[in-house]
Amino acid sequence: MALDESNILRVLFQARARLSASVWLVVRDAQTAEDIFQNVAVRALNHELHFDHEAQLLSWVHVAARREALDWLRRHRHRWVALDEGVLEHLDAGWAPEAEKPAGPRLHALEECLRRVSETGRRLLRLRYFEGRSCAEVAQAMGLSIEAVYQRLTRLHRQLKTCIELRLSSPPTDSPAP
Amino acid sequence: MNCPDQRRFDLLLRYLDGNLPSSELGALNRLLREDPEAAAWLREIAQQAVGLGDIARREEWVERAGEAGADAAAGGTKQAEKVGPAGLPGARSHPPAKRLQLGWMLSAAVLALLAGLVARELWLGQRAESSIATLSAASGSVVRQEIAGARQVIHTGQELGAGSLATEGEGSTAEVRFADGTTLGLAGNTEIAISEDGRGKQVRLRQGVVTVTVAEQPDDRPLRVQTATAEIEVIGTIFTVGAEAEATRVEVGRGKVQVRRLVDGREIEVGAHRRTFASLDASEAFIAEARSPVPWSWRQRFDRAGIEGWRGSWRPAGPEGPASWGAQPYLAGRQADGTPIMHRGLVGRASISTPGQHFVAISSDSVLTLRYRTAAPQKVMVFLSTHEPDGTFGGNFEALIPAIPDGAPDYDVRGDGWREVVLPLASFRAASPGHLSMEAGSEVFLLLISTREAEADLQVAEAGIHPAASLPKTTPQ
């Protein structure tokens, strides 16, 4: 029996974080990634499409989102390079082992880990990933060289990754970290 | 998963930053194919980036919710820190004891909110609950544009949420009005994306020309207009922005704006009646200069190919008449079901790369002169778009030239099919809501000459707008 709308929505929102991240890798703009996710979600609910099971839906959604992202890139970012589609497929395949994991705990861990980041680091992350500024713009805003921004981003991503993995491997706690 | 060294990390970060030359793309593709650690790191960075965006958006949502009912929600607890629950600068903090529980509650709330938004707004094509503006006026075809090309025709009065909006065709215009009175006037073939959040109103101009009339904004939440090459920040003023892929022109009617050229991050202030031009060439002058005066008389001869700002097909002079430009199909509007309405026309828009961004200023006795020909007698429509002298949208106006000569003295037929028409601009009727007539001093930035019939074969040899007093007293022959 084909998945109904409520099941399609449930699967889509469970996969939202990873799907948006997959699209973000192509378009490198959070708002656009969100737009593409929403657009693909709308198409998935089109009554002309039928999905017999979740894996089929997820496979279709990943391919559709990747194509829309590449199409967007071709139309809007002439000067930006795009990865080979084969490489993007390879990257997408890497999300598969995590498909069953809920995204909430990871997001919560990221939120907790962010509190351990310095004020300067948080500002850098906000400028780069929430406001969508280029590293050159971040460098100018913070009075740094662009190389320094790349180095700080490298350190911050490593710090956050280590912290997230520690928190996800620890038993849940009801009290806030000291 | 071990960490790749800094060189490999640099490659990933420069790709994500749009700062990787195509000569290094092959190396990156190879790295991602052959090195599982590098591929895993790229996925990790993407997940962190998207997650950080979600957290920041959520904190702003909390901040707004907190502002709406601060006293009741806080229960007397101070909420004045500048750092949010997860510490992203710009959002407020909550008491530590409530953080964890609130985080989970908000995760669920955000997912529910997203689901609600998508289900109610995108599924049904409405955005009433998250409306941030209204389409207050429209002519021609105005669409909400989905990223993948799916388009929804929208009409005057429709509420707009955050998202993209486009005018289709040169003759289409739209006015978007925010609740505080700020308006965006879109010229033809213009595409914008609008949003409003804790940082203020944001407009992304992807292409075309938009005139922005900004009601006074809070000092810490200026309106921002972004293009591919510049960012304009403003508290309250009137200005016009024209953007193409590699250049942006800003003209200020009233007040002042701060313009940042993205290629090198330089900023300048542009005051009233001044303009600037920001391109991708950092060696180009980036200065605020006096706006070029718009002439009172203008004439365009279509005697060569490649006239900047004009779209049509050039035909050299021959036995049938002078050199001319022929009409081409264009989108004139859409029926209620979205079916396109195609007309044929010749369209000119003052280019952003030329001074003034306007063809001509209108005097009280201005007339339009036109030399044209059709294969058989056909009605010809002339359509003008104008700006007021202060830069606000001045309205669209149109006039119909009847197919059959009616014996008017300025309606001349030579016998070869070429006609020379003189039309007082005062006879044009308003074609956009709220604009009754062309005001003296208004400036024309778009001219469209068209027919509805595909077989009309409209050709135009010359067009102009002049004060009537400057024309020869005799009818042109």
Side-chain angles (χ1 to χ4, degrees), chain B residues 197-243:
Chain B
D197 56 24
R199 292 173 294 167
K201 297 179 181 64
Q202 294 175 65
V203 180
R204 285 189 188 185
L205 175 59
R206 291 170 176 157
Q207 65 170 14
V209 175
V210 61
T211 300
V212 189
T213 305
V214 188
E216 192 166 343
Q217 305 294 298
D219 288 346
D220 59 343
R221 295 180 186 179
L223 180 145
R224 289 190 177 87
V225 178
Q226 291 180 309
T227 71
T229 56
E231 184 175 280
I232 302 113
E233 192 171 284
V234 60
I235 301 297
T237 187
I238 297 173
F239 63 102
T240 297
V241 188

Side-chain angles (χ1 to χ4, degrees), chain B residues 137-194:
Chain B
S139 65
S141 175
V142 183
V143 295
R144 277 188 54 201
Q145 187 169 20
E146 302 292 347
I147 290 295
R151 293 178 169 217
Q152 177 196 10
V153 180
I154 57 173
H155 303 284
T156 301
Q158 189 156 343
E159 294 188 342
L160 304 169
S164 299
L165 187 76
T167 51
E168 294 186 314
E170 294 287 357
S172 298
T173 59
E175 183 183 80
V176 174
R177 181 174 292 273
F178 290 85
D180 67 355
T182 294
T183 61
L184 311 174
L186 281 69
N189 281 340
T190 294
E191 182 183 345
I192 63 171
I194 57 172

Side-chain angles (χ1 to χ4, degrees), chain A residues 126-143:
Chain A
R126 184 183 179 93
L127 288 170
R128 178 74 186 98
Y129 296 123
F130 180 59
E131 297 188 9
R133 297 184 184 231
S134 70
C135 288
E137 292 171 316
V138 174
Q140 190 192 27
M142 298 187 68

